[in-house]
Structures are given as C-alpha cells and as structure tokens.
Amino acid sequence: MADTAVHAATDHGHDDHGTHHTTTGLSNNKLAMWLFLGSECLLFGGLISTYMLYRGRHSENLGPDQLWDIPFTSASSFVLLMSSLTMVLAVTAAKRRDDRNTSLWLTVTAMLGALFVAGQIYEFTVFYREGLGFTTSLFSSSFYTLTGFHGVHVTVGVIMLLSVVGILMKRRTGEDKSELVEMVGLYWHFVDIVWILIFTLVYLIPA
Amino acid sequence: MALIERPATRDGGLVPAVVTPSSSYGVFRRPVETKGWKSWLFTIDHKKLGIMYGVTAIFFFFLGGFEALLIRAQLATNEGTILSADKYNQMFTMHATTMVFLFVMPMAAAFANYFVPLQIGARDVAFPRINAFGFWCFLFGAIFINTSWFLGGAADGGWFMYAPNSSVPFSPTSGIDFWTLGLQITGIASLTGAINLIVTVINMRAPGMSLMKMPIFTWMILIVQFLLLFAIPVITVALFLLMFQRNFDATFFSVEAGADPLLWQHLFWIFGHPEVYILILPSFGIVSEVLPVFSKKPLFGYPLVVFSGAAIGFVGWGVWAHHMFASGLGPISVAVFSVATMAIAIPTGVKIVNWIMTMWGGKLVFTTAMLFAIGLIVQFTIGGLSGVTHAVAPSDTQQTDTYYIVAHFHYVLFGGAVLGIFSGLYYWWPKMFGKLLNETLGKWNFWLMIIGMNLTFGPMHIIGLQGQPRRMYQTTDARAGEGFFNLNFWNLVASIGSLILGIGAFLFVINVFYSHRKNGPAPLDPWDARSLEWMTASPPKEHNFDAIPTVHHLDEFFHRKYEDRGEGEHHEYHQVATAEDVLAEQEANADKHIHLPSPSYWPIVLAFGLPVMAYGVIYNIWLIVVGGAIVMAAMYGWGLEPATATPDDYDPPTPEGGAELEVAHG
Ligand code: HEM
C-alpha cells in the first residue's frame, strides 16, 4: 500500500516555473537557449551548404578572387571576436552582481557588434559598386543570403544587448540578472562562432 | 488567475481565490479573466491551448477532407469536369498542405500540449506565453495560407513544391507565395513548441519520474520535438530561398541560370523525411497508451518501444534521398539510401511486435479507442509493406509518381497517423471534457472509416501499378484497360470509398454533439487507466494537481490502484483503491501555495504581426514595416511584463496579487 499514499509534497508549486528546482538542475531558460542554438546550427548548415554549392557559379570577373578584401574582413572579424571577450567580462560582472560593469561591458559588446555590422554594410556597398548585385549570379545570391542572415543575427544580438542594458538601468527589483546576461551571452558566442566558420569557408578557402 | 490560496474546504479540495477582473483593459493592465471569451483569447493555460489547437486542427481536417472529396469526385468518371486542370493542381496541393501542416501536426501539438504536462505531473509547460504564441502563429499562418483561395488562387506546385515548377513563369499567381510565407509562420509555431516541450519534459517532471518511468506518449512526443527542432530550420532555409527566388528575383532554382534543381529536393526532403516521422510518432505514442489499458496488461517491452522510437528518429535523418531515386542521384547514393530505408523497417517492426505482444493473452476490451488502435496496427502495417517495396530502388522507379505511391502514403498517414489521432480522441475525451463519447456511434465512426479508407486507398495500389500517374486531373477511357484491371471501375470504387470515409469521419462530429447533450458526467476513471493524467479531476483543475505526485513506478496511477500480491516473478494484482480514493487523498494533501502564470495580451499581438508582414512581402513593402512595428512593440511589451500579474492588475487590487509569486518564464 505504500505507493497509494499520496506523498504530501508541500511546496512543489514553486518548482513549476521557477529556475531553481528543475528536474535536471539546469535552468529552463538556458536549456531553451541551447536548444534554440542547436536548431540554428541547421539553419546555418543549410545556408552554408547552399553557398558552397554555388560559390563557383559566377561570371569571369565577379568572383571571390576579384572581390574579397581579406585584410578588411579580417579586421572586422577581429572586432567580432573581441566582442566575445567583452561579453565574457559582462557575464562575470553580472555573476558578481556588479551592475555597473555589466552594463559597461554589455555596451562595449554592443558597440563592437554594431561596428562589425557597419563593416559588413560597407563591404556590401563596395561589392555592389563593383557590380555584384543580389541577383547578379548564383554566387552573389547565395553569398548575400548567407552573410545577410548572419548580419541580421548580429543585429538582433545588438538589440538584445542594449535591451538588457536598459533593463539593468531600470534596476527595478535588484534581483539576480546574471542568467539573462548569460543567455544573451550564449547567443552572442554562437553568432560569433558561426562567423568564424563563415569567414573560413567563404573568405579564406580559395574556391 | 494568478494565485490559488488554500482555504481548505471540508472535503479537502482547493477553492480558487475569487478574482475580479480589472475594470480597465488599457494596454498596461493585463487580462486576468478566468471566464468568457477573453479567458480563451489571452489564455496561456496549456489545457485551453490544447483544446484550441485541437478544434482548429479538426476544422482543417474537414477542410482538407472536403478538398480530397472534390479530387475524388473529379476522378470518379472519365474526363471529369468538376475541376479545371488549374483548380485540380491547387486542390491536391492544398489538400496535402492542409492535412500535413494544418491537421496532423497541430493535432499532435494539441495532444502534446494537453497531456504532456499532465503525464509528467507538472502544472503547465515551461514557457506558457510562448506556448500561446505558438498557437496563434499556427492559426494565423493557417488562415493566411487559405486566404490565397480568394486572392488569385492557391499554391499549385504539389505539396513538395519542386523547383523549377515553383518559379514564377510556371506558377504566376501568388499562391505559392502564400504557401511559402504561411508555412514559415506555422514553422515558428512548431519550433517554439518544440523548444517549450523539450524543456518541459526534461526539466519539469514530478519527483521520482526518471526518463524510463515516463509515459510512452510523452516519450514519443519528446522524440518528435527533437525531430522538429532540427527539421524546421532546414525547411526554413528552403522556404527563404524560394521566397527570394519568387519575390526578389534570385535564381537559386533556375536551371537556365546554372542552378542545381536538386538543391530544393535535397533541402525539402532533409526536412520532409523526418517530417513523416513527426506525423506518425505521436500516434504511435497514443496507441502505446491505449493498447495496454484495454488489454489490462502493461506495455510489452517498454524500453524497446522507447528505443525503437528513438532509432526511428535517428535513422529518419539518413533516408531522405529515397524520395529522389528517380532523379539521377547515381548508383552509389541510390544503393546507400535504399539500404538505409530498408533498415528503418526494423525499429518499426519492433514496435508492431510489441503492440501485438501487449495484446497477447490480455483481457481485451473492444472500446472505440481500442478499435482505432488495432486499426492502426493493421492499416499501418499494410502501408509499411508497400513502403518496403519502394525502398527497393528498381521497383520504385516503376512506382514513383503513380497512384501506388498515393496508396502507400495514405495507408501510413491515414491508417497510421489519423487512426491514432481518433483513438486518442476517444480515449482522452472524458478526461478533457468530463463526458464519454457514445460508443455505438463511435463504432459506426470506426467501421465506416475503416471500410471507407480501404475502398479508397486499396484500389489505388491497382490503379497505380497499372500506370495511372498521380496528380493527373482527368482519366481517359482510351487508357483505361479491360477486365479486372479496368481503371474506370477502380477509380469509381475509390471515389465511392472516399464518400463513405467522409461520412464515417463526420460521424465523429455528430457523436460529439450527441454525447454532450445526452451523456451525464463521465466516471473519473472510465477505462481503468494507468498513467498520471488520470490522477486528476475530469476535466482537470486549472492547476492540474492539488499535490504534485511523487512517482515510484512506470504506470504510477495503476500502481496506486493495484497491489501486487504475487510471489517473485508471478504477479497478482488486487485493487486496493479507486481513482476517487487516490484523488481524495491528493486533495487532502493539497499544496498550500500554487502559482500559475497569468494570461497575457502579447502572444496574440506578436503573432498577429507576422501575417501582416507576410502580406507585405506579397503586396506592399510598407505593410512589412507596419507588421514589423507590431512585432517589435509586442516583443517589448512581452519582455517588460512579468509572467504573473501584479496586484494592480486586479480590481480591486488584490493584497498579494502576483507579488510574491515566482517569476515564470515565457
Ligand atoms: C479524407 C481522406 C483522404 C482522401 C480521400 C485523400 C485522397 C487523396 C488523393 C486522391 C490524392 C491524390 C491526388 C492526385 O495525386 O491527383 C491525395 C494526395 C495526397 N494526400 Fe490525401 N486523402 C485523404 C487524407 C489524407 C491525409 C489524412 C493526409 C495526411 C496526413 C493526406 C496526405 C496527402 C498527400 C501528402 C498527398 C500528395 C499531394 C501531392 O501530390 O502533392 N491525405 N489524397
């Protein structure tokens, strides 16, 4: 009969939506972010495959060899990489509950991200001036689609970073915000890693 | 409802605190109603959302069925004139799109939403507001796709929309644009739903419920959500490429521009083949719940059923190219995919054996739910066997694009997914609505559907092997053939069958209305069931469980009702408690504080912005801006709103409101 006794669980109600007592101990929010990023891998997988399939399909004088400005893109890649570093600093500050430094580093991260996006827009304009429109060739369409998608991801990241800064400034409850910062951090690092992949496959490996 | 305090009544139940809705519904006072239409529109309760998913999905089942009947009416006679060639193309495309994306998938979402939290002993899903958002994405996306009928014609490229047929020169109306953008929106529903349910299952199980004590339906749903998680982004890419092709003049699929037409096929089927397991596994889960209950035996080989489900999920990723045997992949690819496809028959066969062994020696009770479950085993097996015949590539090249294929996938989709869904409806109806469905009507419902489906899809094997192509809008007497294999005859049989099938399915709706008028409240545990969802009131209270149960067994509820008095390997179960006893005990030990997240405006507002943007892509760029603004505003509203209502959302303000509540995330 032991099993038929209903075990008087006193306060499990608290577990339901909280982040504290989940079955696995992982926070719901972070788990969700990991899952989402897992899904994003396939999204970029599809886009990168499309690009790899089509990267050779362009006219004689408008291919990667004529267009790429490796020093410039390396510089902007470096900027994005550094933003991962500042993101780490933001997360550690958030864990210390040091709101001031968290905001500071989040802002710096957002600035670096914005700088990268600006660089990308500049790069696109240069290519466009040289004659590479979105529909010029299969190569151009798939290039702009892939890097465009990545650019949108960075932009969304910048918006998220600034929103977190906004939330921190309001500081309504003074509660622990480190999880929020960590989540945005996960996203940010992911976007960064994807760029490393794109930079290698698209820019560095000769077609 | 924000907070349920426990002023314990004499019989120990919980009385919900009286909540007066706020008098002003300004943007910044959130909805707190528990009754009336607002309580549905802004709900985040997984049970309400489950019902909303279900009602919408069944509506689309009948819409898709109506389209199918038009198809069969057209083909009933030679040179049919009911549909023009153009309308016929739209009809089979939308029939399939509706059935797959707007019926079976959301119907699985309905069951998953309603029953997964109950089966794992949770009070809601992990992210209730995202859950609501998913539903509205599905509904708005579905409506969006179907508005194309009135705006120049629906999509007409077939449900897999092969390139280059899907390009503007071949399909100049906006139909395919509606299809592309609409599926993008319903895809958001699937993706957010997948994340939500995975987190729920992984993180919110009742104490003691290890993964291997989880009800089998929850297991199958978990596997399906992983498939969705990884399949949806692939179709997202494909749909984006198609949108760029059609609306922004890219040439991803234009052969004349040097594109590779197989790109679309690969992307589509890398999504599409996991998709067919996404369609079937929930029904496998339902049947694995129903068969043990009505055989009065535990599920035979529970771990095997779990692992074969997972195996199907894995191998399902490695077989997509069997849809492309006829496209010139090259002999090596064809051989590899052929073998992989045959391999997937093994875990599927394992499941069928397990189900039969579950029934073997059991005290079978032939309720309608049980009949549908047995129906699934039989009909799905037929479909599985014809499936193996086209895993053999040389034989498939004869069958591809004929009615033989149509026969095959209807045996697995209708005979598998749909029969499983009906089994679940009959089985869980008393739990969801507190009323049993009428069994006599149910049996008519079942038998007419079975007879109808075999008359409809059975002859299609013959028609197909005789060479009638699928997607052909007219049949001609000149090619009908003679004697037993006369195509006219079998086409007519199939069309009559589809009518019987339609009547059979409609009996379900009649049954619902009839039973709700005639039947009194259902008993608490009408089937002597085994899993946790039956350990609640029918329909369950808003907070599901008064006390979260601690789980010791697979089939926990059964073990609370029955005691094993056997020795060693010999089991002898004696009933020691009724469902009422178990529930009463739970109520007596009810939790003191139960926190539920509060309703919200933002999910529906956010979802509403998406079709506005989609119309913008087709008609006017400014609409994209408007839609985008709605989306942004809703996101900020959402982000700034706490998951539970604060005191001043109530009128008069509640002393505690949601202030002391846990922060719910969503
Ligand atoms: C209500 C009973 C149903 C009937 C009478 C029916 C009938 C048909 C017929 C005759 C076709 C072939 C059209 C053609 O190739 O010319 C067809 C195609 C199709 N049906 Fe059904 N069907 C039914 C239910 C379903 C269900 C429940 C599903 C899926 C869950 C489904 C999925 C499909 C798909 C994917 C196609 C292929 C469309 C294409 O070629 O693009 N059908 N159906």
Side-chain angles (χ1 to χ4, degrees):
Chain A
M1 266 301 285
D3 299 338
T4 49
V6 176
H7 297 265
T10 42
D11 249 344
H12 288 295
H14 286 294
D15 302 0
D16 277 3
H17 308 288
T19 53
H20 316 301
H21 318 285
T22 59
T23 312
T24 56
L26 279 171
S27 106
N28 284 350
N29 286 333
K30 270 196 270 181
L31 186 58
M33 184 53 95
W34 277 110
L35 291 169
F36 173 68
L37 296 179
S39 176
E40 291 272 282
C41 287
L42 275 279
L43 183 93
F44 280 105
L47 292 168
I48 290 175
S49 312
T50 307
Y51 174 79
M52 296 309 271
L53 179 68
Y54 285 154
R55 64 176 181 166
R57 306 192 188 178
H58 50 76
S59 58
E60 279 302 297
N61 51 358
L62 274 178
D65 296 345
Q66 292 81 35
L67 294 164
W68 291 169
D69 179 357
I70 299 293
F72 177 83
T73 316
S74 306
S76 70
S77 306
F78 180 74
V79 167
L80 195 62
L81 276 184
M82 284 306 103
S83 76
S84 259
L85 181 68
T86 55
M87 188 72 231
V88 172
L89 293 174
V91 171
T92 39
K95 285 208 171 129
R96 289 197 313 268
R97 301 204 179 196
D98 175 352
D99 278 5
R100 238 175 60 92
N101 275 314
T102 315
S103 296
L104 174 71
W105 289 119
L106 285 177
T107 317
V108 175
T109 312
M111 293 329 254
L112 291 174
L115 192 61
F116 171 83
V117 175
Q120 199 171 32
I121 294 174
Y122 169 76
E123 194 186 51
F124 282 7
T125 347
V126 172
F127 294 163
Y128 187 74
R129 292 238 177 80
E130 290 177 36
L132 193 79
F134 179 63
T135 56
T136 307
S137 60
L138 281 167
F139 155 73
S140 79
S141 304
S142 50
F143 168 76
Y144 283 125
T145 306
L146 171 59
T147 49
F149 259 89
H150 182 266
V152 169
H153 275 77
V154 179
T155 312
V156 170
V158 170
I159 295 174
M160 293 202 306
L161 289 167
L162 294 178
S163 307
V164 176
V165 174
I167 292 174
L168 283 177
M169 302 254 266
K170 274 179 88 182
R171 215 182 295 159
R172 274 182 314 187
T173 46
E175 65 189 90
D176 190 3
K177 292 279 192 314
S178 68
E179 188 180 86
L180 186 63
V181 180
E182 253 181 279
M183 264 175 64
V184 180
L186 283 177
Y187 175 85
W188 192 259
H189 294 312
F190 172 80
V191 172
D192 212 0
I193 291 169
V194 171
W195 180 254
I196 296 177
L197 213 69
I198 294 178
F199 183 56
T200 317
L201 289 175
V202 174
Y203 291 86
L204 295 184
I205 296 179
Chain B
M1 161 161 331
L3 176 69
I4 299 172
E5 277 289 352
R6 179 170 80 130
T9 50
R10 189 160 299 151
D11 51 335
L14 282 171
V15 174
V18 183
V19 171
T20 345
S22 159
S23 60
S24 123
Y25 300 108
V27 185
F28 298 108
R29 272 205 175 172
R30 62 193 299 167
V32 287
E33 287 84 355
T34 51
K35 291 220 162 54
W37 60 273
K38 285 204 185 94
S39 74
W40 290 88
L41 218 52
F42 307 122
T43 187
I44 43 137
D45 177 355
H46 73 99
K47 296 183 289 303
K48 281 194 170 141
L49 288 166
I51 291 173
M52 285 150 81
Y53 261 115
V55 170
T56 320
I58 287 176
F59 170 78
F60 281 110
F61 174 56
F62 285 101
L63 182 63
F66 176 68
E67 286 158 358
L69 289 183
L70 285 180
I71 295 175
R72 281 319 316 174
Q74 165 81 0
L75 297 182
T77 54
N78 279 321
E79 326 270 346
T81 50
I82 295 173
L83 300 169
S84 65
D86 189 31
K87 270 283 168 295
Y88 188 86
N89 289 350
Q90 297 173 30
M91 216 45 88
F92 69 72
T93 305
M94 289 302 285
H95 158 67
T97 305
T98 306
M99 286 296 189
V100 169
F101 295 99
L102 311 184
F103 167 54
V104 177
M105 286 172 77
M107 199 64 218
F111 284 126
N113 257 306
Y114 202 104
F115 289 108
V116 164
L118 287 168
Q119 285 203 323
I120 61 171
R123 292 209 162 104
D124 208 318
V125 291
F127 305 97
R129 282 183 293 178
I130 293 185
N131 202 14
F133 171 63
F135 169 74
W136 294 112
C137 281
F138 153 58
L139 181 66
F140 293 151
I143 294 174
F144 175 80
I145 299 179
N146 277 288
T147 54
S148 62
W149 286 111
F150 312 106
L151 296 169
D156 55 3
W159 88 283
F160 38 71
M161 216 52 78
Y162 273 0
N165 222 359
S166 56
S167 311
V168 178
F170 304 101
S171 182
T173 68
S174 299
I176 293 182
D177 303 319
F178 278 97
W179 185 87
T180 314
L181 294 157
L183 290 189
Q184 207 74 283
I185 298 174
T186 60
I188 298 175
S190 301
L191 185 66
T192 53
I195 295 176
N196 207 343
L197 283 168
I198 295 174
V199 174
T200 306
V201 174
I202 291 187
N203 260 355
M204 293 171 63
R205 278 166 285 142
M209 183 177 280
S210 61
L211 284 176
M212 292 314 272
K213 289 193 184 124
M214 223 157 64
I216 191 76
F217 173 71
T218 298
W219 250 116
M220 292 305 123
I221 291 295
L222 180 64
I223 294 167
V224 166
Q225 304 313 311
F226 272 105
L227 290 177
L228 279 170
L229 186 71
F230 296 125
I232 293 290
V234 182
I235 188 76
T236 303
V237 171
L239 292 174
F240 266 118
L241 297 185
L242 184 57
M243 179 181 92
F244 289 143
Q245 163 105 12
R246 289 183 55 94
N247 303 87
F248 301 98
D249 300 325
T251 51
F252 290 110
F253 308 115
S254 312
V255 183
E256 67 280 11
D260 193 334
L262 285 191
L263 175 64
W264 171 270
Q265 295 195 21
H266 279 296
L267 288 176
F268 187 88
W269 288 117
I270 289 174
F271 152 80
H273 202 79
E275 168 74 14
V276 307
Y277 297 109
I278 291 167
L279 298 176
I280 194 66
L281 285 177
S283 285
F284 282 4
I286 293 172
V287 168
S288 309
E289 294 282 349
V290 169
L291 286 170
V293 169
F294 295 111
S295 308
K296 307 266 168 241
K297 279 174 66 192
L299 181 63
F300 181 86
Y302 166 88
L304 272 179
V305 180
V306 170
F307 288 127
S308 62
I312 292 175
F314 271 112
V315 185
W317 288 94
V319 298
W320 79 86
H322 70 213
H323 298 270
M324 302 161 60
F325 281 156
S327 64
L329 289 174
I332 308 250
S333 305
V334 168
V336 169
F337 280 103
S338 180
V339 172
T341 305
M342 289 177 210
I344 214 162
I346 297 169
T348 317
V350 166
K351 275 195 156 37
I352 291 172
V353 169
N354 276 297
W355 292 329
I356 294 173
M357 294 304 282
T358 304
M359 288 164 52
W360 190 269
K363 294 196 202 76
L364 305 189
V365 190
F366 292 101
T367 57
T368 308
M370 180 67 161
L371 288 178
F372 273 110
I374 299 172
L376 178 141
I377 301 180
V378 175
Q379 304 290 317
F380 181 84
T381 306
I382 298 176
L385 290 177
S386 62
V388 176
T389 68
H390 31 254
V392 183
S395 130
D396 182 65
T397 39
Q398 297 300 310
Q399 298 156 0
T400 197
D401 274 336
T402 69
Y403 254 84
Y404 188 80
I405 298 289
V406 180
H408 157 70
F409 65 66
H410 282 94
Y411 267 90
V412 289
L413 286 177
F414 201 98
V418 178
L419 294 186
I421 285 169
F422 272 83
S423 172
L425 284 170
Y426 275 90
Y427 175 63
W428 276 319
W429 199 269
K431 172 69 8 199
M432 289 192 278
F433 300 104
K435 298 243 183 186
L436 283 164
L437 289 175
N438 183 289
E439 282 289 313
T440 316
L441 271 173
K443 287 188 178 134
W444 276 96
N445 183 184
F446 170 74
W447 284 110
L448 283 181
M449 273 172 74
I450 287 291
I451 293 169
M453 82 157 277
N454 283 296
L455 279 181
T456 312
F457 305 122
M460 290 186 188
H461 291 108
I462 302 172
I463 301 174
L465 288 181
Q466 288 303 304
Q468 177 169 319
R470 71 193 275 200
R471 299 175 172 176
M472 194 177 72
Y473 94 107
Q474 278 184 331
T475 55
T476 64
D477 205 25
R479 303 218 186 124
E482 287 184 355
F484 182 71
F485 293 118
N486 181 291
L487 292 183
N488 290 338
F489 173 69
W490 290 115
N491 270 314
L492 185 61
V493 172
S495 295
I496 294 172
S498 67
L499 204 60
I500 299 176
L501 176 51
I503 295 169
F506 194 68
L507 275 185
F508 174 75
V509 179
I510 294 178
N511 196 351
V512 168
F513 284 104
Y514 178 83
S515 304
H516 275 253
R517 280 191 56 183
K518 289 277 155 100
N519 287 1
L524 198 56
D525 183 20
W527 318 122
D528 196 9
R530 314 176 70 87
S531 42
L532 277 191
E533 77 269 27
W534 294 96
M535 235 172 79
T536 58
S538 299
K541 299 174 184 171
E542 186 167 11
H543 52 280
N544 294 354
F545 298 92
D546 284 337
I548 300 289
T550 303
V551 176
H552 301 274
H553 299 275
L554 177 66
D555 292 341
E556 176 70 17
F557 183 46
F558 175 82
H559 286 279
R560 291 194 183 198
K561 290 185 294 183
Y562 292 87
E563 193 182 58
D564 187 3
R565 302 217 179 110
E567 312 247 310
E569 283 297 285
H570 175 72
H571 297 290
E572 217 185 283
Y573 287 101
H574 293 270
Q575 182 150 24
V576 290
T578 62
E580 284 78 9
D581 299 339
V582 178
L583 190 65
E585 229 171 322
Q586 203 195 115
E587 286 179 338
N589 294 299
D591 289 345
K592 287 214 178 64
H593 299 280
I594 294 173
H595 304 305
L596 291 174
S598 310
S600 169
Y601 295 118
W602 300 116
I604 186 172
V605 177
L606 181 54
F608 179 75
L610 298 172
V612 176
M613 288 173 79
Y615 281 115
V617 172
I618 299 175
Y619 291 113
N620 187 329
I621 201 108
W622 288 106
L623 268 180
I624 304 185
V625 179
V626 175
I630 297 177
V631 167
M632 280 307 274
M635 281 212 225
Y636 274 93
W638 183 321
L640 297 176
E641 167 190 87
T644 28
T646 51
D648 50 344
D649 287 322
Y650 295 92
D651 188 25
T654 54
E656 290 186 74
E660 65 138 291
L661 299 181
E662 292 274 350
V663 181
H665 300 268

